Amino acid sequence: MTSFAAPHDAHADGHAATRSVTRLSVGVAVVLIALKAFALGASGSVSILATLADSALDLVASLGVFFAVRWAATPADEDHRYGHGKGEALAAMVQAGLVFASALFVGWEAIQRIFDPRPVTAGGWSVGVVLISLALTAWLVWMQGRAIRRSDSMAVKADRSHYAADLASNVVVLIGVISGAWLAAPGLDAAAGLVVSVWLFWGAVTMLKTSADHLVDRAVPDADRIAITTAVLSDPRISGVHQLRSRMAGSVMMIQMHIDLEPTLSLEAAHAIVVEAENRLLAAFPRADILIHPDPRGRAERHEPAGAVPLGDS
């Protein structure tokens, strides 16, 4: 028995939220690049250079997310029967690569400036730009959080994680600019840039792991698996669940399982029980795509491919 994802209006609402917030993300990245380029020209701060490089890659990443969420939202077709949801994981992996590149560039520049400190000028302009960047980024992260609650988009989650890291890195940049401009300690400015580099590298590792898990069909967390089996077994007519498989395809949770039913049930009665189980699962996971195979109790057969590790009963 199959249930296709979620009600149409829930999907439409989620897709509208992701489209809107990805447009906003691109717009904010453009504004931040313009502001930071001005501040870099006025100050020569390596901290500003670090955050400018990050914002430039933010724009590239945000553009990737902008197109990825639209492609991922397209319906299943003959060549992609499970839909296009993994396009979001691919976009997140590209983001991780861009952040790695940014971290290496900023780290190299910061190390050079540690050994060859340069004064930071126009500190007032730089501080003003960083404060504006903090406000814009915080607003964008808040808007992305709202969109995630409506869509559960992996690509938007990756974008939000990156911008959330930017919030912390901008605080470090602010400290670096103040130290270099008014405390006569330009080495601290370079050190702040190095901290930003390490922060970016750690964020890239996290994004890479999450997207890789998605692409290799890692099972959903144990808490979700328990919730799935609990929802199904809440009907006393279902005596067991086995061969449970689960994975994510974009924001859609793919759920497959076999359930044990009374052997003497009619096809119509078994169908009704399965539909009720699907509806309980959809109540807990509105974007799920569900496949439930009913087995006569005590007569279930294994259906794993030859050589596969048998899936344990749940």
Side-chain angles (χ1 to χ4, degrees):
M1 301 295 175
T2 304
S3 179
F4 290 101
H8 175 73
D9 56 350
H11 276 293
D13 179 67
H15 296 330
T18 56
R19 286 193 294 268
S20 176
V21 81
T22 52
R23 285 194 298 268
L24 180 62
S25 178
V26 171
V28 168
V30 170
V31 171
L32 291 179
I33 287 172
L35 288 172
K36 293 175 182 179
F38 169 77
L40 177 63
S43 67
S45 165
V46 69
S47 295
I48 294 293
L49 174 63
T51 191
L52 173 60
D54 186 32
S55 290
L57 287 180
D58 281 349
L59 176 59
V60 176
S62 293
L63 284 170
V65 172
F66 178 87
F67 291 109
V69 298
R70 284 156 177 76
W71 186 75
T74 56
D77 55 36
E78 288 297 324
D79 295 323
H80 304 86
R81 300 307 298 266
Y82 289 97
H84 302 79
K86 289 196 176 182
E88 294 196 8
L90 289 172
M93 186 165 283
V94 170
Q95 275 193 323
L98 292 173
V99 178
F100 271 127
S102 177
L104 290 174
F105 169 72
V106 172
W108 174 252
E109 186 67 20
I111 290 172
Q112 286 186 314
R113 294 289 184 94
I114 287 175
F115 291 103
D116 182 22
R118 304 175 193 176
V120 176
T121 59
W125 282 108
S126 299
V127 168
V129 167
V130 173
L131 289 175
I132 294 172
S133 298
L134 279 168
L136 283 174
T137 304
W139 176 61
L140 176 60
V141 168
W142 180 71
M143 294 295 291
Q144 288 174 324
R146 292 182 59 189
I148 289 169
R149 286 191 291 273
R150 293 168 59 188
S151 68
D152 199 34
S153 167
M154 182 183 181
V156 175
K157 285 180 181 177
D159 210 29
R160 183 179 184 271
S161 296
H162 192 185
Y163 279 105
D166 286 352
L167 278 176
S169 67
N170 278 328
V171 172
V172 176
V173 168
L174 184 62
I175 295 171
V177 171
I178 292 173
S179 300
W182 291 306
L183 301 181
L188 291 178
D189 172 60
L194 189 59
V195 170
V196 173
S197 174
V198 173
W199 189 279
L200 291 173
F201 184 84
W202 181 253
V205 170
T206 301
M207 278 192 286
L208 186 62
K209 181 181 183 304
T210 301
S211 57
D213 285 347
H214 206 85
L215 290 171
V216 299
D217 290 334
R218 183 182 178 90
V220 300
D222 288 342
D224 288 337
R225 289 170 56 86
I226 292 172
I228 290 169
T229 55
T230 300
V232 173
L233 292 175
S234 64
D235 185 341
R237 296 172 295 179
I238 300 175
S239 58
V241 173
H242 54 279
Q243 293 180 256
L244 171 62
R245 299 185 184 190
S246 58
R247 62 185 176 90
M248 296 299 298
S251 60
V252 177
M253 181 185 293
M254 315 296 293
I255 302 172
Q256 301 178 16
M257 73 183 73
H258 289 224
I259 61 174
D260 293 325
L261 298 177
E262 173 60 41
T264 59
L265 287 174
S266 67
L267 177 59
E268 184 175 1
H271 172 77
I273 293 172
V274 169
V275 170
E276 291 176 18
E278 290 174 345
N279 288 334
R280 290 194 300 276
L281 288 173
L282 286 173
F285 305 99
R287 297 180 182 86
D289 186 301
I290 305 161
L291 180 64
I292 298 178
H293 177 87
D295 283 326
R297 186 182 304 120
R299 304 178 193 174
E301 296 179 353
R302 293 291 182 183
H303 296 279
E304 292 94 350
V309 177
L311 299 176
D313 293 352
S314 297

